Amino acid sequence: MFVQQLEPVADSLGLSALVATLPLLTVLVLLGAVRMKAHRAGLIGLCAAVAVAWLVFGMPLGQTASSAAQGAVFGLFPILWIVVNALWVYRMTVRTRHFDILRRSFGRLSDDPRVQALVVAFCFGALLEALAGFGAPVAISAVMLVALGFDPVRAAVVALVANTAPVAFGAMGTPVVTLAQVTGIPLDTVATVVGRQTPLLALVVPLLLVALVDGRRGLRETWVPALVCGFAFAAAQFAASNYVSAQLADIGAALAGAGALVAVPHARRPAAEPVRAAVLTGARSEDLDRDDPRADVLRAYAPYALIVAIFSVAQIPPVKDFLTEATRTFDWPFLDVADPAGHPVGGNVFSLPLVATGGTLVLLAGFGTAAVLGVHARVAAREWAATVHELRFAILTVTSVLALAYVMNLSGQAATIGHFVADAGAGLAFLSPVLGWFGVAVTGSDTSANALFGALQVTAAEQSGLSPELLAAANSSGGVLGKMISPQNLTIACAAVGLAGKEGDLLRKVLPWSLGLLLVMCLIVLGQSTAALGWMLP
């Protein structure tokens, strides 16, 4: 048995914590300063974590390698299993041209560009985030806005800012699933607390979007549909994350927001020509005026309806219990770790949810999508393989970052940093979202930031007397606001709208909004750690 040490360097917690941060600093410097590709930075950071675990914290090399392998396996299944299958569904809609039909359907909902920004960037972007995440919502939303006539820079800014509120529950709840895994806190508990933080952003972001599109006039003239959309989104995200399923939180929120927006008469009114002339400075796609048969429109919406239906059925207690029976739990080989108190850690045991996982359910929806859209089995298989090829570097990045996180957690590096950070005391509640924000800003992924810092937040909370569930959730909720300034997302947005090389200009436009919303989240978490807003927590 390997027993974790908190002060392996000169019996000093401060020096030990400093050494323990070397793997994280390696990744952050390589990504932020050297501008190295994320998958390479992740692999080098993993090597640094293994070296520190073995040479400094005394973890046997075999157990160190085993902990890295467990992290990599968790990255592949269930995390990337969800992402691959969700993106596969999207690729089939693009191949059959049903995605174009969907885009035209959105364009016909309203000719007001401010409302179009809410429909495309906020609601549909949230649906894409729910299904795939990892940059896909920004790229697709930005392209659709440019096709509707938006200036490329404005389209990119709107898509980036909109991609905030849904991120914590994106990719079928992947970030909160990862957070639950690395912290040992039950998924339902983590999702419940996150679901009482991020919905508050959803109340603000739609108002911010109409202001970004058309300034004060946009806010003055379209605040009603923006507020209604945000309220419906927030209410649905809260209800789903607290009482239904973390995997369905963004799907339900996106559909509720879109439905509420369409139901507001104000949103359906034709926009005044001065507004359209001021906002739509780009070239409008000519195919937007094409009429599509009703049957084709229904088929375009079918993949998303199938996913909602399958996930809803999977939450019915008897069905959920039946699916859970296929889960396999076993002792992870070559791993026997105890915490500093001598108690075995949860990482010694590994659970493999073969059927009761979002990726498998999305795969079933993919089979249904292929049937509804008329995609031949051979073509569908080729699209799945092409999806894996497209995500090959993302797969390498996620597996290496999760392997790094598991090595740090199981070797005791995260616990050492957490004990040191705990000295911040009550101020830790205010700073905890900043840690998540920083992690996402560098890695581009709320999942990766949760893997890196989730256990650290819990350890620090336990040492400082704060709620571990609150600080763990704050890591994810603060992280969503770093998404818009991450180099990966900025690059994706610029590439999507033809602004390659303009990432710096885009960063300057979105950074103030990222920092402003982060301050709001820090105040929310600080309030929730005291009697002022403590009543909001379960």
Side-chain angles (χ1 to χ4, degrees), residues 117-476:
L118 294 176
V119 172
V120 173
F122 188 68
C123 297
F124 186 61
L127 186 60
L128 292 172
E129 182 67 39
L131 301 179
F134 292 89
V138 170
I140 296 167
S141 298
V143 168
M144 291 179 72
L145 290 174
V146 170
L148 289 168
F150 278 67
D151 170 75
V153 173
R154 182 175 285 156
V157 170
V158 168
L160 285 166
V161 174
N163 191 223
T164 48
V167 168
F169 296 103
M172 294 301 174
T174 297
V176 290
V177 169
T178 303
L179 186 61
Q181 181 74 14
V182 300
T183 60
I185 300 173
L187 173 60
D188 290 345
T189 303
V190 171
T192 295
V193 181
V194 175
R196 300 178 187 219
Q197 294 172 344
T198 57
L200 298 175
L201 293 176
L203 297 173
V204 178
V205 171
L207 296 169
L208 178 55
L209 293 179
V210 296
L212 286 171
V213 171
D214 193 29
R216 293 182 180 178
R217 177 178 59 187
L219 194 58
R220 184 175 63 252
E221 295 181 0
T222 52
W223 68 270
V224 173
L227 195 59
V228 169
C229 176
F231 182 82
F233 186 103
Q237 191 182 62
F238 163 77
S241 61
N242 276 260
Y243 306 112
V244 184
S245 163
Q247 287 88 346
L248 284 176
D250 278 350
I251 294 178
L255 296 177
L261 189 60
V262 172
V264 178
H266 190 92
R268 304 300 297 272
R269 296 175 190 165
E273 192 54 38
V275 173
R276 293 179 54 79
V279 175
L280 302 181
T281 54
R284 186 173 180 271
S285 179
E286 295 180 359
D287 73 342
L288 287 174
D289 298 322
R290 185 189 307 171
D291 289 328
D292 298 301
R294 182 177 295 273
D296 286 346
V297 174
L298 291 175
R299 275 195 291 271
Y301 282 91
Y304 310 104
L306 279 170
I307 290 175
V308 173
I310 289 173
F311 270 83
S312 298
V313 170
Q315 298 308 312
I316 299 173
V319 177
K320 189 174 184 178
D321 293 340
F322 175 75
L323 296 177
T324 304
E325 289 178 3
T327 299
R328 296 291 177 264
T329 301
F330 55 91
D331 292 333
W332 187 259
F334 310 111
L335 197 64
D336 188 8
V337 180
D339 63 22
H343 304 124
V345 300
N348 294 329
V349 179
F350 190 78
S351 294
L352 199 62
L354 298 173
V355 181
T357 183
T360 302
L361 298 178
V362 176
L363 180 67
L364 294 176
F367 293 150
T369 296
V372 171
L373 301 186
V375 180
H376 192 277
R378 190 183 305 108
V379 176
R382 279 203 301 266
E383 286 295 327
W384 193 90
T387 302
V388 174
H389 182 264
E390 179 184 339
L391 291 173
R392 62 192 184 282
F393 293 121
I395 290 172
L396 192 55
T397 300
V398 172
T399 52
S400 61
V401 168
L402 278 162
L404 179 156
Y406 270 59
V407 169
M408 290 191 65
N409 292 342
L410 290 170
S411 67
Q413 295 175 60
T416 295
I417 299 171
H419 279 74
F420 181 74
V421 172
D423 290 341
L428 183 61
F430 182 83
L431 296 174
S432 58
V434 179
L435 193 59
W437 174 85
F438 184 68
V440 176
V442 172
T443 67
S445 165
D446 201 34
T447 298
S448 297
N450 286 343
L452 289 173
F453 299 132
L456 187 155
Q457 296 266 23
V458 168
T459 303
E462 290 172 343
Q463 294 301 308
S464 59
L466 295 170
S467 164
E469 295 82 4
L470 174 62
L471 264 59
N475 193 81
S476 193

Side-chain angles (χ1 to χ4, degrees), residues 75 112-113 309 374 479 489:
D112 190 326
N489 255 25

